[in-house]
Amino acid sequence: VQIEILTTGDELLEGAISDTNASYLAHELHMLGLSVQRITTVGDQLEELSETISQISARASLCIITGGLGPTSDDLTLDALALSAGVSLEVDDALWSEIQLRYAKRGRIPPTNRRQARVPEGGAPLRSEVGTAPGMRLQVGSCVFYAYPGVPSELRWHVSQSLIPALRSRQSREVSQLVWRVGSLGESALQERLNALQDQLRLAPDLRVGYQALGSEVRLKLSSSDAVALHQVIPALREALGGHLVSEEDEPLERVLLHELKRQGLTLGCAESCTGGAISAKMTKTPGSSIAFLGGVVAYSNDVKRALLGVTEETLTSFGAVSAECAGEMATGAREALGVDWAISVTGVAGPGGGSDIKPVGTVYFGWAGPEGCRVSHMLWAGGRAQVQSRSVYYALHELLKMIQEQTT
Amino acid sequence: VQIEILTTGDELLEGAISDTNASYLAHELHMLGLSVQRITTVGDQLEELSETISQISARASLCIITGGLGPTSDDLTLDALALSAGVSLEVDDALWSEIQLRYAKRGRIPPTNRRQARVPEGGAPLRSEVGTAPGMRLQVGSCVFYAYPGVPSELRWHVSQSLIPALRSRQSREVSQLVWRVGSLGESALQERLNALQDQLRLAPDLRVGYQALGSEVRLKLSSSDAVALHQVIPALREALGGHLVSEEDEPLERVLLHELKRQGLTLGCAESCTGGAISAKMTKTPGSSIAFLGGVVAYSNDVKRALLGVTEETLTSFGAVSAECAGEMATGAREALGVDWAISVTGVAGPGGGSDIKPVGTVYFGWAGPEGCRVSHMLWAGGRAQVQSRSVYYALHELLKMIQEQTT
C-alpha cells in the first residue's frame, strides 16, 4: 500500500502556522504499521490542487487530504476531487438537510454553507459528530482519497472514530498498542536502552516503536499485531526503564504525581527561586490540582527568601542563595509557611548571567522537605536558561514522585 | 518565479516531529514578497528523493531543500541531487580540510563525515559558521536548488545570513519590514482593524501583511518595497491598534514590561490563585528579570491566602475567594509581604469544576496594588482551563504595562 498525505491551505504556504495535521496523521498511520511515502502541501488554488490529486492518484493507493472543506469560495477540495476524477459535483439534498439541522442550534445557517453538501459522483460523505463539514471518500483512478476538515479537533474526530477503525479492519491482524511516558531520559538514551532489549522485543511480530519528545518527557509507543507477545515484553521493558518509567497509561508526570498525592492524602507546596513559579504553574495546569497542591512562594529576591520562607541571614552570607543550605531552609520554611506535608525548593543559576567558577550557569540546588525530614541534592544542567528551568522543574517533581512511591512500597 | 520547498527525513513521515522548518522557510519567503507553490516531504530513500527533485525541477525555478546533509548513510540529499542532475559526486579536498579544521575543536572527526565534503559537478558549497555540514547550491534543469541542513539552528543561520540577502539582491527593489507585537486582540479582530485602513495601506506598494498568533499575542509583520511609504503608514497603524500595540520592536509583553519597570526603577511581585504561578513563570523566563521582579505567592488554598497575604477571614466568608474584595486584599497583601512597588493579584474559576451560576467558569478577578492605591477589575473568559489561565496571565501583565506607561506620559 502506497500512502500519501495532502494538506491544503494558503496559510500553510505562507508559514503562518505549522502543519501539525500532517504530523498527527503521519504518526497515527505509523503506529498502525502503515508507512507514509510522501506529504504534499498546496494552496487554495483549484488547478494546483487538482493537478496534485491527479499526480497522487497515479502513485498511491490511499491518500488522506486535510482542509478545503469549509463554506467559503476558497474551499476547493471537493471541486478538485471531482475535477481530477472527471465526475460531476452536485448538492445532495439529504446531506444538506442534515447540515441545516446540525447548524440549527447555533442560529441561522448562511446560504454559502450549501457548498458543504455537495457530493462528487461516486463519493461517500463521511458524517461527523463535531463541526458542520462532512468528510468525503472518493476513488480517483486506483487511489482512495479520504478528505477531512483542517480544523484539528474535527480531523481528530474523523481519524479516531472512522479512519483508524476502517484501516484496522483492512489489515489482516489487529494491532495492539502501549503508550508509556518516560521521564528524565533523553530520546537517544531511551533508544539505546530499547536496542539492548532487541532480542526480547523481536518476539512481538511487526513491532513498531515510536518516540515523541515532549520537553523532559518522552512518549514511548509500542505496537504489534500480537497482543499477547506485546504484553510479554512488558516486564523486561519495566526493568530496563526503572525509575524513568513515569506512566504506563500515557499520563504526564504532574498528573501521576497528583494522583499519588491524593491517593496517600498528602499535600504539596513549593518554594522557587530560579524556576520562578514554573513548578507551581505546571502543577496547577491540571484540573482538580487544588486538592493536593496548596500553594507556593516564588522567592526570587533574598528579601523574599528571608521574609516569607525564614531563610537565615547567616546562610545567605556564608553560603549564598545558591547553596544546599539555602535550598534546605527554603524547603523546610515553605513546608511550615504553607502548612503542607511536602515542600519542594529550587535555587540555582539559570543564566545567562550570574554564573561563577564555583557555581557556573546550570548549577541548581533542590530540597524536598517531608514528614521525616529534608533531602537536598544538586545538579549541573547543560543548556540555556529555558532548558535549565524546565529540566529543574521536571527533576524536582520526578524525584518527589519516586520518594513518595518508595514510602508505600 | 515558481518556488517550492522540499523537506526530507523519515522522522517527518513517521510524525515523530512537526515540520517547523517548512513553516519557517515559508514564512520568511512570504515576508520577502515571494510565494511558495508547494511543500513536499519525502523520506530517506534515494529513489523517492531523486524522483521528487526531478519533478520539482520540471515545475519550479527555485527550491529550498532541508535535511539529508548529515554524515550517515541515510543522508542522501547530495546523492539525489547529483542523480537528478546526471552529474558526478566527488569529495572536494579543500572542503574536506575545512570541515576537519572546524571539527578539530570537538575532537577526532569520524571518517564517515567525509561524505559531507562531496560536491556534485557544477555545485557550489555553502559555508556555514555553525555546525559542520555545508549547504549546497546546484542547478537541475532550469531550477536552482539550495540544500541546507535540517538542524533548525543551522538552517536559520544559512537562511538569514545567505539565502535572504541573495534573494533580496535578485529582487528589483529592497523590501522593508516592520515586525510589531499586538496584545489582547484576536487575529480576526486585528485583521478587521487593518482592513479598515486599506486605503492608507494601499499607498505602500507590494504591501504584504503577515500574522503569527503566539498565545494571546499576535506578531504582525508588514513589508513593502517602498520603505518611505511603509513608514508613512505607521501613525495610522498606531492609532488603529491603540493600547493593543505592545511593541514596535518584536518584543513580547513580558520584556516590554520589564524594560519599563527597570526604566522607572520599579519592582514587581504577584499573588496568584487560579493562574497558579504562571505570571511569575512568564516574568522569570526573561534573563535579567530579577532586577525588577522580586517574587510572588501562589495562594491556591484559602489558608495560604490568609497566612502569607493577610486576606481576612471576613472577606473569605462574606465574599468568597473569587471576589473583588479578595483580589484587592491579595494585591495589597502581596505588595507589603514582598516589599515591591507594584503587586498583581489574580483569583478566579479556571475550571472545569468550581463554577456556579453567579461565578461561572471563566470568572476571574484581578488586583493591581501600586504606590497610589489598588485597582480591581474582573473578566469573564470563554474557553477551557488552559485558555482561562493564559488569558488571565496576559491580561494582568498587559493592564499593568498600560498603567505604568500612563503614569509617565
Side-chain angles (χ1 to χ4, degrees):
Chain A
V1 197
Q2 165 110 3
I3 303 176
E4 298 202 18
I5 293 170
L6 171 59
T7 59
T8 70
D10 284 343
E11 70 282 8
L12 296 170
L13 292 183
E14 290 171 6
I17 52 171
S18 271
D19 196 353
T20 51
N21 283 346
S23 57
Y24 162 71
L25 278 169
H27 188 74
E28 293 298 320
L29 292 166
H30 177 68
M31 292 317 299
L32 270 180
L34 301 168
S35 300
V36 173
Q37 255 74 43
R38 204 184 280 212
I39 301 169
T40 310
T41 306
V42 295
D44 302 315
Q45 282 177 290
L46 183 58
E47 251 180 69
E48 181 82 2
L49 192 50
S50 163
E51 191 189 305
T52 308
I53 288 172
S54 301
Q55 289 164 352
I56 292 172
S57 74
R59 290 191 299 257
S61 53
L62 174 68
C63 177
I64 321 294
I65 306 179
T66 69
L69 295 180
T72 61
S73 58
D74 61 353
D75 288 305
L76 296 164
T77 296
L78 295 176
D79 307 72
L81 277 169
L83 187 63
S84 294
V87 298
S88 63
L89 180 64
E90 310 221 339
V91 170
D92 178 310
D93 289 328
L95 189 58
W96 177 224
S97 303
E98 278 177 45
I99 293 175
Q100 283 173 304
L101 213 71
R102 173 166 289 287
Y103 215 93
K105 295 161 207 159
R106 306 202 215 162
R108 212 173 58 82
I109 190 163
T112 49
N113 282 52
R114 207 155 177 269
R115 290 174 62 83
Q116 296 181 302
R118 296 175 304 163
V119 178
E121 198 189 329
L126 305 167
R127 267 80 175 177
S128 165
E129 284 174 18
V130 293
T132 55
M136 187 63 61
R137 190 181 68 232
L138 180 73
Q139 181 146 356
V140 182
S142 55
C143 180
V144 177
F145 287 83
Y146 286 82
Y148 296 120
V151 180
S153 59
E154 298 186 30
L155 172 66
R156 275 156 206 258
W157 189 91
H158 277 289
V159 170
S160 61
Q161 300 298 312
S162 118
L163 180 67
I164 291 178
L167 293 178
R168 269 220 183 102
S169 70
R170 275 172 42 162
Q171 284 181 301
S172 50
R173 283 184 284 183
E174 180 80 8
V175 171
S176 291
Q177 204 177 87
L178 301 176
V179 187
W180 288 9
R181 297 275 182 137
V182 179
S184 312
L185 191 68
E187 220 179 309
S188 50
L190 173 56
Q191 259 175 15
E192 271 172 41
R193 289 194 186 209
L194 283 162
N195 288 344
L197 287 183
Q198 252 177 1
D199 289 343
Q200 278 119 305
L201 293 177
R202 220 171 274 145
L203 298 176
D206 327 313
L207 186 80
R208 292 228 159 194
V209 183
Y211 305 90
Q212 269 186 308
L214 301 165
S216 296
E217 212 162 74
V218 178
R219 234 175 138 212
L220 172 67
K221 287 195 184 186
L222 290 110
S223 70
S224 163
S225 55
D226 185 339
V228 175
L230 185 62
H231 281 82
Q232 278 169 349
V233 172
I234 290 181
L237 262 178
R238 277 194 193 126
E239 207 186 308
L241 296 175
H244 295 288
L245 175 55
V246 169
S247 165
E248 295 186 8
E249 275 142 25
D250 197 18
E251 295 243 58
L253 174 63
E254 59 274 21
R255 269 179 204 271
V256 177
L257 179 58
L258 272 175
H259 289 171
E260 190 61 29
L261 288 167
K262 280 184 202 170
R263 201 181 65 78
Q264 296 190 34
L266 296 170
T267 56
L268 173 65
C270 60
E272 303 181 65
S273 183
C274 71
T275 49
I279 292 181
S280 292
K282 195 178 185 81
M283 293 308 295
T284 56
K285 264 186 191 160
T286 308
S289 47
S290 56
I291 294 176
F293 186 81
L294 302 192
V297 172
V298 181
Y300 221 50
S301 74
N302 282 351
D303 284 343
V304 174
K305 289 184 183 78
R306 269 191 300 259
L308 295 186
L309 299 170
V311 173
T312 59
E313 187 58 47
E314 203 196 325
T315 292
L316 291 170
T317 45
S318 309
F319 306 105
V322 178
S323 65
E325 290 76 8
C326 184
E329 288 184 13
M330 284 171 69
T332 48
R335 186 166 182 265
E336 199 172 317
L338 300 166
V340 290
D341 298 310
W342 280 91
I344 299 173
S345 70
V346 189
T347 179
V349 189
S356 66
D357 285 352
I358 309 164
K359 290 168 188 170
V361 168
T363 305
V364 182
Y365 288 84
F366 299 85
W368 296 268
E372 284 162 30
C374 182
R375 186 191 134 196
V376 172
S377 79
H378 76 274
M379 298 292 280
L380 177 59
W381 303 116
R385 181 180 182 86
Q387 272 178 301
V388 170
Q389 288 181 329
S390 66
R391 284 177 176 173
S392 296
V393 168
Y394 199 90
Y395 175 78
L397 294 172
H398 194 186
E399 289 300 301
L400 177 66
L401 174 65
K402 288 190 270 185
M403 284 178 222
I404 64 173
Q405 279 175 337
E406 271 164 27
Q407 289 193 331
T408 55
T409 51
Chain B
V1 197
Q2 165 110 2
I3 303 176
E4 298 201 19
I5 293 170
L6 171 59
T7 60
T8 71
D10 284 343
E11 70 281 10
L12 295 171
L13 292 182
E14 291 171 5
I17 53 170
S18 271
D19 196 352
T20 51
N21 283 347
S23 57
Y24 162 71
L25 278 169
H27 188 75
E28 293 297 320
L29 292 167
H30 177 68
M31 293 318 299
L32 271 179
L34 300 169
S35 300
V36 173
Q37 255 74 45
R38 206 183 278 212
I39 301 169
T40 309
T41 306
V42 295
D44 302 317
Q45 283 177 288
L46 183 58
E47 250 179 68
E48 181 81 2
L49 192 51
S50 163
E51 191 189 302
T52 308
I53 289 171
S54 301
Q55 289 163 352
I56 291 173
S57 75
R59 288 191 302 255
S61 54
L62 174 68
C63 177
I64 321 294
I65 306 179
T66 69
L69 295 179
T72 61
S73 59
D74 61 354
D75 288 304
L76 296 164
T77 297
L78 295 175
D79 307 72
L81 276 169
L83 187 62
S84 294
V87 298
S88 63
L89 181 64
E90 311 222 337
V91 170
D92 179 310
D93 290 328
L95 189 60
W96 178 223
S97 305
E98 278 177 45
I99 294 175
Q100 283 173 303
L101 213 70
R102 173 167 287 287
Y103 215 92
K105 295 160 205 156
R106 306 201 214 162
R108 212 173 58 82
I109 190 163
T112 50
N113 282 51
R114 206 155 178 269
R115 289 174 63 81
Q116 297 182 301
R118 295 175 305 162
V119 178
E121 196 190 330
L126 305 167
R127 267 81 176 179
S128 165
E129 285 174 17
V130 293
T132 54
M136 188 62 61
R137 193 181 65 231
L138 181 72
Q139 181 146 355
V140 182
S142 54
C143 181
V144 178
F145 287 82
Y146 286 82
Y148 298 119
V151 180
S153 59
E154 297 186 31
L155 172 66
R156 276 157 206 257
W157 189 93
H158 277 289
V159 170
S160 60
Q161 301 298 310
S162 115
L163 180 68
I164 291 179
L167 293 178
R168 270 223 182 100
S169 69
R170 274 172 42 161
Q171 283 181 302
S172 48
R173 283 184 283 184
E174 180 79 8
V175 172
S176 292
Q177 204 178 85
L178 301 176
V179 188
W180 288 9
R181 297 275 183 139
V182 179
S184 312
L185 190 67
E187 220 178 309
S188 50
L190 173 57
Q191 259 174 18
E192 271 171 43
R193 290 193 186 211
L194 284 161
N195 287 344
L197 287 183
Q198 252 177 0
D199 289 344
Q200 277 119 305
L201 293 176
R202 221 171 273 143
L203 298 175
D206 327 313
L207 186 81
R208 292 228 160 194
V209 183
Y211 304 91
Q212 269 186 309
L214 302 164
S216 298
E217 212 162 72
V218 178
R219 235 175 136 211
L220 172 67
K221 286 197 185 185
L222 289 109
S223 70
S224 163
S225 55
D226 184 338
V228 176
L230 184 63
H231 281 81
Q232 278 167 350
V233 173
I234 290 180
L237 263 178
R238 277 193 193 128
E239 207 185 308
L241 297 175
H244 295 288
L245 174 55
V246 168
S247 164
E248 295 185 8
E249 275 141 28
D250 197 18
E251 295 244 60
L253 174 63
E254 59 274 21
R255 269 181 204 270
V256 177
L257 178 59
L258 273 175
H259 288 172
E260 189 62 29
L261 289 166
K262 280 184 201 169
R263 201 181 63 78
Q264 296 190 35
L266 296 170
T267 56
L268 173 66
C270 60
E272 303 182 65
S273 182
C274 71
T275 49
I279 293 182
S280 292
K282 195 178 185 80
M283 292 308 295
T284 55
K285 264 186 190 158
T286 308
S289 48
S290 57
I291 294 176
F293 186 81
L294 302 193
V297 172
V298 181
Y300 221 49
S301 75
N302 283 349
D303 284 345
V304 175
K305 288 184 184 78
R306 269 191 301 259
L308 294 186
L309 299 170
V311 173
T312 60
E313 188 58 46
E314 202 198 324
T315 291
L316 291 170
T317 45
S318 309
F319 306 106
V322 178
S323 64
E325 289 76 9
C326 185
E329 288 184 14
M330 284 171 69
T332 49
R335 187 167 182 265
E336 199 170 319
L338 300 165
V340 290
D341 298 311
W342 281 91
I344 299 174
S345 70
V346 189
T347 178
V349 189
S356 66
D357 285 351
I358 309 165
K359 289 167 188 172
V361 168
T363 305
V364 183
Y365 288 84
F366 299 85
W368 296 267
E372 284 162 30
C374 181
R375 187 190 133 194
V376 172
S377 78
H378 76 275
M379 298 292 280
L380 176 60
W381 304 116
R385 183 179 181 86
Q387 272 179 299
V388 170
Q389 288 180 328
S390 68
R391 285 177 176 172
S392 295
V393 169
Y394 200 90
Y395 174 78
L397 294 172
H398 194 185
E399 289 301 299
L400 177 67
L401 174 65
K402 288 191 269 184
M403 284 178 222
I404 63 173
Q405 280 175 336
E406 269 165 27
Q407 289 193 330
T408 55
T409 51

